[in-house]
Amino acid sequence: MSINQNVYGTSSQWQDVHTYDDSIAAKDRVKAVYFGGTNYYDNNLRLGNSAGKTPINHAIDKSLSYCGLGVESAYSHFKYYDILDIQAATVGNTLQPFFTENRTITNFAFTIGNSNRPSDQTFLNARNTTNGNNARYAPTTGSIDNNTSRLSWFISYFAFNNFIALIYVHCFNGTFTDGRPTNGEKVTLYNYENDVNGIRTSKPYIYAVTIHPFTRYNANNDRMAMQATNDGKAIEILDSYNGGTSEAGAPFYTYGALQNDNDGEFLIHGLVTGRGTASVQSGIAIPPEHTIFQIACIPDTWSLKLTKKNSDYVNQQTVRAYDESFYEETMRAVACFGLFFTDKLSIAQSGDLDNDEMYCGILVDGIGHGDYSHGQENKQQPQYNKSSNDIDYDPYHPPEVDPNLYNGKMQTHDLLTLGTATKRYNVNMINMELALLPKLWDIMALADPDENLTDYSLKTFLVNNPIDCIVSLQWLPVKEMYTGAATTIKLGRYDTQVSAYPAKNSIRYDCGNYKIWPREGNNWIDRQVQITLYLPFCGTVSLDPETYMDKSVNVEYLIDLTTGTCTAVVSFVGAGGERVITDTASGVCAIDLPVTGIQQQTLNSQLFNASESVKQLKVNNAFKGFSSIMGAVQSLNGNPSGAIGGILGATQDIYNIFQSEKIADYNLQHTQIPMKMIGTSGGITGAMCEIYPTIIFSRPTVDYDKDAYAHSNGFATCESGLLSGYSGYTEVTNVDLSGFDATAAEKEMIKSLLASGVYL
Amino acid sequence: MTITFYQSPDDPRTVNKTMNGIGGGEQTLSASVNNTEDTISLLSPSFIVASNSNYFSATHIYVASMGNRYYYINNITLMTGGKMLISCSIDVLKTYATSIILCKGTILRSESVGNPTMIIDGRLPIQTNNRIIDCDNFPDTPFTLGVNVSPYILSTIGGSSL
């Protein structure tokens, strides 16, 4: 869509230089970039304004926008940060936006400040209005005062093949000095990504990404960088601020000048304006509760940090830590502008448009979504031979676009430490079986012989029955369940002096990715495979081969160490490593060890027929039975001494706890000592199975002579094209037989023969 | 009208068949047509020619005067008077071979794709009811049955010493 010359002035009056050097010969200027000026009296916004064509507080004509920036561009999602939130934050904090815009398509203009251009001086005073408040939609008239100018020239025309954007990365070491990035440095994206001279290693943080146009004003010269000016360059938005409307319903929220301070370059990612206010410097009027704000043009991988704060001044900066996704994220952001672009200086200066390191943003119905071509593919792009006025994009009748970004994330998280009323210990085998449990024998023996056992128990263990001190004992076949420094096990107030480590509450364990390789050539036969994922303790999950073939699957375990439950999280792994959780399976991986003791009150009442010595022994040794109850299978009635021996007996019996799943049941059924059970028998059998997640494949048998089959049948396909592109046995349908003379009957015969199979 | 005899070793379904001469290697044999009838069918013609035993090895005839068409020889009938009746039918594939390969169409089966594709092929003899089972483990697991580990989690009340 061509620029509306009724608003922006006739093209013959557009300034046809791209530098501020008037030495360019007139005959060469046709190749250059053209500018319309807001302060060029005869053909600018002022003229439009005075003629009533661009009134104040009305959207400016969008025809300057040669393409639309898609929903993928950060320019469609400006983030606004309230100054009050900034002032309340601590230096180093990441700030959260109070509002994020959401445009499906963003129209824009490239503008360049030129307040020092001598010929402007005569207009400085002429452009002020009485109130100096020319809030309008950009391109801007900006804030007005008599001495400084924010009035901008805007790019009204350029040939795509003479406007090459070179991408620059503004990097630093991650620290801030006086609120500004320390030793900030600007390098090309190529040099940064390839760590030339160690720049990325020494400065692994980025605070801005910009582009600098390179143009060639003479066919015999290399391209030159467009000159910077003191006011720098800005990308102005021509659309409404979509934060809402005033209470009166009128859309009084407007854009104005969007400035940035990046060495005279066009900002791609970073701070858009130093400080927006409801006044006209930014030209944006927003809800009164957010009267002063900061704007950032950044995707979600970036953040805005508070870098300096004193009594009357705050400073903030956009920051991103480098990672392997930075390069592609940056390339795609630039590609939205539909320009030829490169990450390398030499290509910007002299690279041909079909050079392998020259890229071109792909426009779909005039919208840039971040895709780009390179090398020979660039010749297929309409920009190869067109100017900014020739693109078939109408900002007033934009195409329907999918507003969804499809960049969602699904991930698991570590839980915060949960406070509990119990102490939890991770104990090794030796300490548990040979140190702790035998030690429990001695606890009650420490009681004063004259002291009532119940009182001793209460005083020492805080409970009537010492066994109640132990909330649970679990055996888990899980790695690294401990955290922190070693300690000793305490029961109530009693310190057993047995060493143990504090136990974690939960574990999140990544079992890794597994790539499911197609073994038959990645064709339909591979999709006949049945894939089952065995998950220890959790069962099995079926994986759809149509989804997972030639892709990676990830398994992550979430284990709750307080209850022993576990959940296996199965995720599809995308090309960029991003995970989408597709299935979960849960189970129990803990074996609750029945820890029993004698229920004293019940025992007393049930053993009234037993001999006095046995009874007394039982009462006094109630706690001694604690450590070896699992071995106590003998009846008290039959052999009191033997039973006592069994109870006292063997720490060896402890080993039986987890080696026989029937002990708990047997005890319940056979013992006549009233046991108090804590916990129930748990998932022993799960631990007896495979403990690695395992993929099981069930493949059909493939056994045939491939060449013979191909020659007599061909392989099933569904392609369209010229028959000359195929050979051998071929079956063709829907063939277009135009272009040669044959009778209708002959053509029918040809169609029939092609459909039944011919040899080309 | 002159007709020329050829012998083609190719499958009748071949589009651009190889046409070899008969009766002496590279030479082709031609014959003058002595049809007594007034009509000759364009698609299923019959030609009466002087007998020549070499014609028996021919598979095709080419008739330039009938639009440069190639015909299959379906039958040869020996006639009295030293004549042969050659019964033919049009070979559209050879006749229009050059034009056919320049046409566009939808390819449903092809030898030259080389391998099975994503399109399910009902003719391919794979045995989905005869399967092979194998498995592979993930690289890591949170579980262990090792002896030198701490497998117990003990939960207790309290924790302050006497």
Side-chain angles (χ1 to χ4, degrees), chain B residues 34-56:
Chain B
N34 301 315
N35 276 30
T36 56
E37 294 166 5
D38 295 331
T39 61
I40 295 179
S41 165
L42 184 67
L43 300 184
S44 302
S46 295
F47 304 100
I48 297 175
V49 297
S51 289
N52 187 326
S53 61
N54 288 320
Y55 297 162
F56 291 121

Side-chain angles (χ1 to χ4, degrees), chain A residues 425 433 469 471 474 476-477 479 490 691 693 695 697-699 701 706 709 713 716 719 724 729 736 746, chain B residues 69 96 101 104 107 109 111 115 117 121 130-132 134 136 138 141 144 151-155 157 159:
Chain A
Y425 303 94
E433 295 161 17
C469 219
V471 177
Q474 290 178 314
L476 291 98
K479 300 173 185 172
K490 298 171 186 61
I691 60 170
I695 296 247
F697 298 94
S698 171
R699 306 178 191 277
T701 301
K706 184 174 156 187
Y709 179 84
N713 290 276
E719 301 176 5
S724 59
Y729 183 83
D736 180 359
E746 288 175 316
Chain B
R69 284 177 165 78
Y96 299 105
I101 63 171
K104 284 185 184 175
I107 315 300
R109 303 194 70 88
E111 178 178 355
N115 288 292
T117 65
D121 187 350
N130 182 11
R131 292 179 170 268
I132 300 169
D134 52 25
D136 203 355
F138 265 69
T141 178
T144 177
Y152 293 100
I153 298 286
L154 178 72
S155 295
I157 292 176

Side-chain angles (χ1 to χ4, degrees), chain A residues 372-399:
Chain A
Y372 54 90
S373 61
H374 77 285
Q376 292 291 319
E377 298 170 341
N378 293 345
K379 292 181 176 177
Q380 310 302 321
Q381 304 306 326
Q383 296 95 306
Y384 197 76
N385 291 311
K386 287 191 174 179
S387 76
S388 56
N389 274 347
D390 300 329
I391 299 290
D392 289 331
Y393 170 67
D394 182 354
Y396 291 102
H397 299 93

Side-chain angles (χ1 to χ4, degrees), chain A residues 152-199:
Chain A
S152 300
W153 290 74
F154 51 86
I155 294 178
S156 52
Y157 168 91
F158 63 91
F160 283 100
N161 56 19
N162 193 28
F163 195 88
I164 311 301
L166 176 61
I167 307 174
Y168 280 106
V169 175
H170 302 248
C171 55
F172 70 118
N173 64 2
T175 64
F176 297 93
T177 303
D178 199 26
R180 310 292 287 178
T182 306
N183 295 327
E185 188 171 344
K186 180 180 81 174
V187 296
T188 62
L189 176 63
Y190 178 88
N191 285 1
Y192 191 74
E193 176 68 12
N194 292 282
D195 203 14
V196 172
N197 297 325
I199 180 66

Side-chain angles (χ1 to χ4, degrees), chain A residues 610-631:
Chain A
S611 67
E612 181 65 27
S613 60
V614 171
K615 183 177 174 182
Q616 188 61 38
L617 187 59
K618 283 212 176 309
V619 169
N620 289 339
N621 293 290
F623 201 74
K624 288 180 184 175
F626 171 55
S627 65
S628 62
I629 290 304
M630 289 302 98

Side-chain angles (χ1 to χ4, degrees), chain B residues 52-63:
Chain B
N52 187 326
S53 61
N54 288 320
Y55 297 162
F56 291 121
S57 62
T59 62
H60 282 74
I61 62 171
Y62 169 73
V63 185

Side-chain angles (χ1 to χ4, degrees), chain B residues 1-12:
Chain B
M1 176 188 291
T2 300
I3 63 177
T4 307
F5 291 81
Y6 290 98
Q7 188 271 338
S8 174
D10 293 326
D11 187 286

